[in-house]
Amino acid sequence: MENFNNQASVLLKGTRVCNCKYSKCLKLYCECFAAGEYCIDCNCNNCCNKPEEEDLRLKKIKAILERDPQAFRPKIPVDPETFKSKAAPHFKGCNCKRTKCVKKYCECYNAGIPCGINCKCSHCKNTTDNYSKQPPYIPPLNEYVKFLAEPLIKKKDSEEDMKSDEGSTFSEEIAMKSQEWISFEKFEDSFYGRLIYLLNKLS
DNA sequence: GAGTTTGAAACT
DNA sequence: CAGTTTCAAACTC
């Protein structure tokens, strides 16, 4: 936990730059906010996604998580070594209707991954045969996100959504994941570590 | 660079 | 939870 808090104390900034005008960078529309990062050197207006507005920022994060405990879970599997998406399905899937998933409006196409079983798109051309045979992508829960999301899920969801807790333990679930997820889990550890650290400051 | 299109996120 | 609105990025001209 010590190491994890040290990680959390530094909100690493990626290469993204947002241009938000109306969201104050406190909604998931903002790429930086959605990634759990402060806006640094962005082109945004009235930005509140910065250390000076931390109280407001944390309230917004908490409100979003109340609505959807998975909201800040990375939707695209990312290899932290290369920062490139891995060949696994988008967590939520896309819902493209007009672009056939061959333009960057499509989150899957934009991430360089084919659409998969999680997608609800129409007339999709962003597919591969191999890919459609893959099982559903269920992002791994690490100890951090379990700590964060469990109370929210309990409050929000029905008993059937909780049954995985009764069955296989968290560590067993992780053990069942294929080797390719390991680097992604490390990525999540870092991301959720920061997030939970911030949430702890709220309570 | 301005205006349009698009689909995720947010809201009702 | 389905329909609508808001939003910022992608795209077109």
Side-chain angles (χ1 to χ4, degrees):
Chain A
M1 189 57 92
E2 187 66 27
N3 177 46
F4 149 61
N5 276 354
N6 288 341
Q7 270 186 329
S9 65
V10 181
L11 282 171
L12 297 173
K13 176 64 181 177
T15 55
R16 61 180 61 73
V17 173
C18 76
N19 300 286
C20 304
K21 287 182 181 173
Y22 304 109
S23 66
K24 298 181 179 178
C25 302
L26 290 179
K27 296 188 176 182
L28 294 173
Y29 298 127
C30 175
E31 283 187 40
C32 308
F33 181 74
E37 298 172 351
Y38 292 125
C39 288
I40 298 173
D41 294 333
C42 292
N43 304 315
C44 37
N45 290 347
N46 303 316
C47 180
C48 293
N49 183 30
K50 51 188 178 182
E52 300 93 295
E53 304 286 348
E54 193 63 7
D55 286 349
L56 176 60
R57 184 174 177 275
L58 291 175
K59 282 179 187 171
K60 294 289 185 182
I61 291 173
K62 200 170 184 182
I64 291 168
L65 283 170
E66 293 270 353
R67 193 188 316 134
D68 177 10
Q70 314 274 34
F72 287 89
R73 186 183 286 269
K75 289 182 289 189
I76 305 291
V78 173
D79 183 340
E81 305 298 327
T82 63
F83 293 100
K84 289 186 177 176
S85 61
K86 303 199 73 176
H90 187 287
F91 164 35
K92 287 185 174 176
C94 70
N95 298 285
C96 304
K97 294 189 167 48
R98 307 173 72 93
T99 57
K100 300 172 184 174
C101 305
V102 291
K103 295 195 174 182
K104 292 179 80 176
Y105 297 123
C106 174
E107 291 196 358
C108 306
Y109 178 87
N110 193 25
I113 58 178
C115 290
I117 197 163
N118 302 333
C119 296
K120 302 187 187 81
C121 40
S122 305
H123 311 107
C124 181
K125 291 189 174 177
N126 182 32
T127 59
T128 69
D129 288 343
N130 290 339
Y131 199 74
S132 59
K133 291 171 187 164
Q134 288 193 14
Y137 166 43
I138 303 172
L141 286 175
N142 58 41
E143 291 297 336
Y144 302 133
V145 73
K146 192 179 181 187
F147 171 86
L148 168 66
E150 248 186 12
L152 294 170
I153 291 171
K154 275 178 183 165
K155 193 164 67 177
K156 188 179 174 67
D157 292 344
S158 62
E159 289 178 352
E160 64 175 344
D161 294 324
M162 295 300 297
K163 69 175 184 291
S164 62
D165 263 19
E166 309 293 324
S168 59
T169 65
F170 166 73
S171 57
E172 283 168 349
E173 285 177 25
I174 292 299
M176 288 163 61
K177 302 296 180 190
S178 63
Q179 193 69 18
E180 72 171 302
W181 287 111
I182 288 178
S183 58
F184 180 46
E185 286 162 15
K186 285 180 183 170
F187 173 79
E188 279 206 311
D189 281 356
S190 170
F191 180 86
Y192 283 107
R194 296 184 332 234
L195 192 57
I196 291 164
Y197 169 78
L198 295 171
L199 285 164
N200 281 339
K201 285 168 58 178
L202 270 186
S203 54

